[in-house]
Amino acid sequence: MAEEVQAPLSATMAKEAQSPPSATIAEATAPPQLLLFNSFTKREEPFQPRVEGKVGMYVCGVTPYDFSHIGHARAYVAFDVLYRYLKFLGYEVEYVRNFTDIDDKIIKRANERGETVTSLSSQFINEFLLDMTELQCLPPTCEPRVTEHIEHIIKLITQIMENGKAYAIEGDVYFSVESFPEYLSLSGRKFDQNQAGARVAFDTRKRNPADFALWKAAKEGEPFWDSPWGRGRPGWHIECSAMSAHYLGHVFDIHGGGKDLIFPHHENELAQSRAAYPDSEVKCWMHNGFVNKDDKKMAKSDNNFFTIRDIIALYHPMALRFFLMRTHYRSDVNHSDQALEIASDRVYYIYQTLYDCEEVLATYREEGTSLPVPSEEQNLIAAEGHKQQSE
Ligand SMILES: [Zn+2]
């Protein structure tokens, strides 16, 4: 099958089932069956788009307050491979990847640098896009910014409150986890584990410590928007519920991100979306593994943390992409100098081979003759000769 020959890069992303020998011509020309691992059901499932021939995919984007690290590169290369493969299979893909351009970290960094939140986030959005170009990640079909969707966020929070699943206190709005029995169905956590992954310190005004902010009242010196609950800004999670529904509808096919986003971010997203609109559904949740350094988790504090810029200053960007793609997307990648050297050598070998082939073919093109095709026997002899040479 032509698809199998032309799509080697997808091998770690998806498996294709063999067509039965009795398949009709129509079945044989249909896209091969794709199996994707769904983090919600914890198993591989046949991919069935909601609308035939079309795929809606949402991948959580970066918070642009600094240069992106190779953990970001991992996620966006993995979903770029999936995006390319779905397009290759003939699907029309609506791929949405957002920018979280309002956040505590952006505000803090902008204040430290004496610049506006907008100028800081715009600068690092541009830097991120340059990194994505270097890594040959195709641009998504849509790259919305949170600050362009405040009205949709306010509408969504209002709907959740009208459904009795959120409450306002002193200009803040919290999601009430006890009002949503499905809470923790994605991560499979128990309530007493909740605080481990939470970004916010314990707030005694909350009805349950696990309740999370949908809207935060404005503090002195912070950007704000007017809302029914007073001036403030969105909490972290609500943006993706609002933007995915806005661009892809309440039911869409694939929602992706790093596995660190399963809790709390995606758990909270799922709760918000379904609390507002009970028919909301993500057909397949997909999560990629981490990048570790010498078998330890990368951390700025341990000084074993690398930005994409750090790596591509030393290696060709394709070496980084190749290095990230050599490991199955759900497994952790272990970064080491040796692994990058090997990836770099392999990429050099691939490009050198392509260059050598092109050189040979160019001679024939100039002469206007076609390249003689060796027989199977000649190929075997040549292969044996190469094997002996390399031993
Ligand atoms: Zn998100």
Side-chain angles (χ1 to χ4, degrees):
M1 274 165 51
E3 287 85 354
E4 289 175 349
V5 174
Q6 291 172 26
L9 298 185
S10 65
T12 60
M13 180 64 79
K15 283 194 253 168
E16 294 165 25
Q18 296 284 327
S19 297
S22 59
T24 63
I25 290 173
E27 282 168 339
T29 53
Q33 182 66 68
L34 185 63
L35 294 178
L36 296 175
F37 186 89
N38 184 351
S39 309
F40 188 85
T41 58
K42 321 270 185 297
R43 60 170 189 253
E44 281 183 358
E45 294 170 350
F47 177 65
Q48 300 255 298
R50 196 175 69 86
V51 178
E52 199 180 331
K54 295 191 174 184
V55 177
M57 176 164 92
Y58 187 97
V59 175
C60 291
V62 292
T63 301
Y65 72 103
D66 206 340
F67 287 99
S68 298
H69 54 73
I70 59 174
H72 297 122
R74 175 91 203 278
Y76 303 122
V77 165
F79 287 101
D80 182 62
V81 172
L82 178 61
Y83 180 41
R84 286 170 182 271
Y85 189 57
L86 290 167
K87 282 157 70 82
F88 167 80
L89 293 179
Y91 290 111
E92 190 185 311
V93 187
E94 180 80 3
Y95 173 18
V96 181
R97 185 180 67 202
N98 69 295
F99 287 109
T100 302
D101 64 342
I102 182 74
D103 171 273
D104 292 344
K105 292 194 288 293
I106 299 179
I107 295 169
K108 183 168 178 278
R109 181 67 59 88
N111 286 340
E112 283 165 7
R113 290 168 46 138
E115 62 178 309
T116 65
V117 163
T118 309
S119 83
L120 180 81
S121 61
S122 297
Q123 181 200 336
F124 284 108
I125 284 173
N126 289 337
E127 301 292 3
F128 171 79
L129 293 174
L130 287 173
D131 287 342
M132 291 300 103
T133 304
E134 290 282 16
L135 291 170
Q136 295 196 19
C137 291
L138 296 175
T141 43
C142 186
E143 295 179 277
R145 302 182 186 196
V146 175
T147 55
E148 295 164 350
H149 287 277
I150 301 295
E151 106 187 67
H152 300 118
I153 289 170
I154 289 174
K155 191 167 162 235
L156 186 64
I157 297 173
T158 305
Q159 186 64 51
I160 297 170
M161 291 184 79
E162 279 177 16
N163 292 355
K165 298 187 187 309
Y167 55 95
I169 300 177
E170 298 163 5
D172 294 325
V173 179
Y174 290 101
F175 186 93
S176 169
V177 295
E178 284 169 8
S179 72
F180 185 72
E182 291 175 53
Y183 193 60
L184 304 179
S185 57
L186 173 64
S187 63
R189 285 178 170 237
K190 302 273 180 279
F191 264 105
D192 55 6
Q193 293 176 287
N194 283 348
Q195 290 306 302
R199 278 189 171 190
V200 284
F202 180 64
D203 180 344
T204 50
R205 300 171 309 157
K206 293 197 285 186
R207 293 179 190 166
N208 183 311
D211 290 351
F212 56 90
L214 302 178
W215 187 262
K216 296 177 172 183
K219 294 194 191 110
E220 187 68 31
E222 288 186 355
F224 61 81
W225 289 264
D226 288 322
S227 80
W229 319 286
R231 290 174 165 179
R233 60 188 170 93
W236 173 34
H237 316 293
I238 193 73
E239 61 186 66
C240 292
S241 290
M243 289 187 286
S244 61
H246 180 73
Y247 289 99
L248 302 173
H250 296 306
V251 183
F252 61 95
D253 300 295
I254 296 171
H255 194 318
K259 68 179 178 183
D260 53 325
L261 295 185
I262 295 174
F263 185 87
H265 186 53
H266 287 167
E267 190 73 72
N268 293 355
E269 255 190 78
L270 186 155
Q272 293 160 165
S273 299
R274 289 178 66 82
Y277 301 99
D279 61 342
S280 293
E281 189 183 357
V282 170
K283 293 287 185 188
C284 184
W285 289 90
M286 293 181 67
H287 295 97
N288 62 273
F290 293 135
V291 180
N292 296 328
K293 166 68 179 159
D294 296 326
D295 293 317
K296 284 185 221 140
K297 191 174 188 307
M298 279 201 178
K300 270 184 177 169
S301 50
D302 294 339
N303 204 25
N304 64 353
F305 187 88
F306 296 93
T307 64
I308 296 169
R309 296 294 163 92
D310 291 336
I311 303 297
I312 64 177
L314 300 172
Y315 299 96
H316 193 283
M318 282 301 92
L320 175 56
R321 185 178 171 109
F322 187 78
F323 160 72
L324 294 170
M325 286 171 54
R326 290 185 81 192
T327 302
H328 187 281
Y329 79 99
R330 289 180 54 224
S331 303
D332 291 351
V333 169
N334 190 42
H335 169 278
S336 67
D337 293 343
Q338 191 196 12
L340 266 168
E341 287 292 338
I342 292 169
S344 183
D345 286 350
R346 298 309 296 170
V347 167
Y348 176 81
Y349 172 77
I350 291 166
Y351 278 105
Q352 185 62 48
T353 306
L354 287 171
Y355 178 81
D356 291 346
C357 291
E358 185 52 40
E359 214 171 37
V360 172
L361 290 170
T363 317
Y364 285 93
R365 265 192 225 113
E366 273 169 29
E367 292 170 0
T369 55
S370 56
L371 187 66
V373 179
S375 68
E376 199 173 329
E377 194 185 353
Q378 286 171 315
N379 277 336
L380 285 173
I381 292 165
E384 191 55 38
H386 285 301
K387 199 175 152 201
Q388 281 173 9
Q389 267 180 23
S390 62
E391 279 172 0

